Amino acid sequence: MSSDYVWTPPGLDESELEQFLTIERGIPNAANESIHRWLTRDMYGHEFMDVTVFLRFQTAARQDLGFMNVGLTDVDQVLQVLRGLDQTVRAYLVDFMLSEITPSRLGTRPQRVEELQTILAASGAGWQVGLRKERYGLVEVMPGGVVDIVEEVMSAADQASSLLRAAWERAFGIDQSPSHAYYDAVRAVEVLSCPLISPKDANATLGKDINVLRNAPDKWEFSMKGSKFVSPVEHVVSAMQLLWHSQSDRHGRADYEDVSADEAQAAVLLSSTLVGWLSKSMLRRSEAN
């Protein structure tokens, strides 16, 4: 059976089905016992298991969770500790366990990773298995098509792609940092836009690039046609302005305020589009100039 299959109750009307399939934030309580079985590798309560990896997590998390360095431990005792974790720590533990699994160079995911992904998908969890810093980890659920497009943009081994990967991890990973994610999203665009649009300005920024394009849009071309009253280049400028002017925590702004998680995620998705356009030379100087 495909891991993409998700069971749904029979006889639901459209609105009931939509409600049933609504993604929950984090890991739903209904998935806890399945997650515990995954964490304990399907061992039974009367068996004994090595808890070394749990001790490593306890140290890394800087919290005394109740795991004890006593060699082999009764699985029932491990389950007792797991059932006492709050949902955030449980998600961190799952993420830590995933990071201990080495990704295959062949691009196929190990069975253990697929088993967890099946649990997460079936329970409607807000997390799915992805890659962060070239290791498996929990990332927020996104439509598959969106992820495929963004992964293609991030796959190149250049500075813009590297910054975009960092921004994605900080925006959609389990250890989110909205401010850093937004900063990296802007920098990813600037790495490509500044040499193209402001090549003689050693201190160029996305804001300066926007002014160059806005002051002389007829000197530039874009691969799309635009609309009757707005040129395609002006549409690109609008996208750049949205990214640039929405960064509310940029130093020097009178209206400084922290970037929210939603703002950072929107910025990273917009940055992914702009980086894709720029990396494929869809914005270019007009041949007529």
Side-chain angles (χ1 to χ4, degrees):
M1 181 180 295
S2 170
S3 61
D4 293 332
Y5 171 80
V6 175
W7 173 86
T8 58
L12 298 183
D13 62 29
E14 186 173 341
S15 62
E16 291 171 330
L17 181 61
E18 182 179 354
Q19 183 177 2
F20 181 83
L21 292 174
T22 298
I23 300 298
E24 294 190 29
R25 294 189 67 85
I27 299 175
N29 289 331
N32 285 351
E33 286 303 299
S34 294
I35 292 293
H36 297 160
R37 285 185 60 82
W38 183 82
L39 290 169
T40 56
R41 295 180 175 269
D42 289 329
M43 297 182 71
Y44 292 100
H46 63 274
E47 295 182 283
F48 289 82
M49 67 179 298
D50 186 343
V51 295
T52 302
V53 66
F54 294 103
L55 294 172
R56 286 204 301 273
F57 169 72
Q58 185 168 261
T59 301
R62 303 176 185 181
Q63 297 183 56
D64 183 357
L65 303 174
F67 295 111
M68 301 180 66
N69 187 16
V70 292
L72 295 179
T73 302
D74 189 304
V75 173
D76 274 335
Q77 293 182 15
V78 176
L79 289 172
Q80 184 176 356
V81 174
L82 294 177
R83 288 167 180 153
L85 300 179
D86 65 39
Q87 290 299 77
T88 299
V89 175
R90 183 176 289 104
Y92 288 167
L93 174 55
V94 171
D95 184 74
F96 182 85
M97 290 288 202
L98 278 172
S99 72
E100 298 261 307
I101 303 173
T102 304
S104 169
R105 294 183 178 180
L106 301 177
T108 56
R109 297 202 296 200
Q111 181 179 351
R112 182 157 166 75
V113 173
E114 289 294 347
E115 288 172 353
L116 176 62
Q117 177 56 38
T118 298
I119 294 171
L120 296 173
S123 66
W127 298 115
Q128 63 185 358
V129 177
L131 288 176
R132 298 200 333 272
K133 300 177 183 177
E134 299 183 357
R135 289 177 174 268
Y136 289 118
L138 294 178
V139 298
E140 285 201 41
V141 171
M142 294 283 292
V146 174
V147 174
D148 290 343
I149 292 171
V150 174
E151 284 185 346
E152 179 181 352
V153 175
M154 295 190 298
S155 63
D158 55 48
Q159 187 180 4
S161 298
S162 177
L163 285 165
L164 192 56
R165 280 194 296 273
W168 185 272
E169 291 167 3
R170 287 167 165 169
F172 293 100
I174 197 168
D175 50 347
Q176 295 181 353
S177 177
S179 182
H180 288 98
Y182 206 124
Y183 176 80
D184 285 342
V186 173
R187 285 289 297 123
V189 176
E190 288 178 332
V191 164
L192 296 175
S193 68
C194 293
L196 172 67
I197 301 169
S198 309
K200 297 181 180 179
D201 187 348
N203 299 310
T205 64
L206 181 58
K208 291 183 177 181
D209 291 341
I210 289 169
N211 288 331
V212 171
L213 294 175
R214 188 167 50 198
N215 292 334
D218 56 315
K219 293 184 178 181
W220 298 86
E221 296 177 349
F222 184 62
S223 296
M224 300 176 74
K225 294 181 179 179
S227 55
K228 184 175 181 180
F229 300 106
V230 183
S231 74
V233 174
E234 289 173 315
H235 282 297
V236 174
V237 171
S238 294
M240 289 180 168
Q241 284 179 314
L242 181 59
L243 180 64
W244 179 251
H245 292 301
S246 296
Q247 189 179 7
S248 58
D249 68 341
R250 191 166 54 246
H251 294 296
R253 286 187 58 148
D255 56 346
Y256 179 99
E257 60 181 77
D258 290 338
V259 172
S260 71
D262 284 346
E263 288 172 327
Q265 291 178 355
V268 172
L269 289 170
L270 178 55
S271 174
S272 301
T273 298
L274 290 168
V275 168
W277 288 347
L278 292 167
S279 65
K280 294 183 180 298
S281 301
M282 293 180 176
L283 176 70
R284 52 193 174 271
R285 295 183 183 275
S286 174
E287 296 181 359
N289 293 281

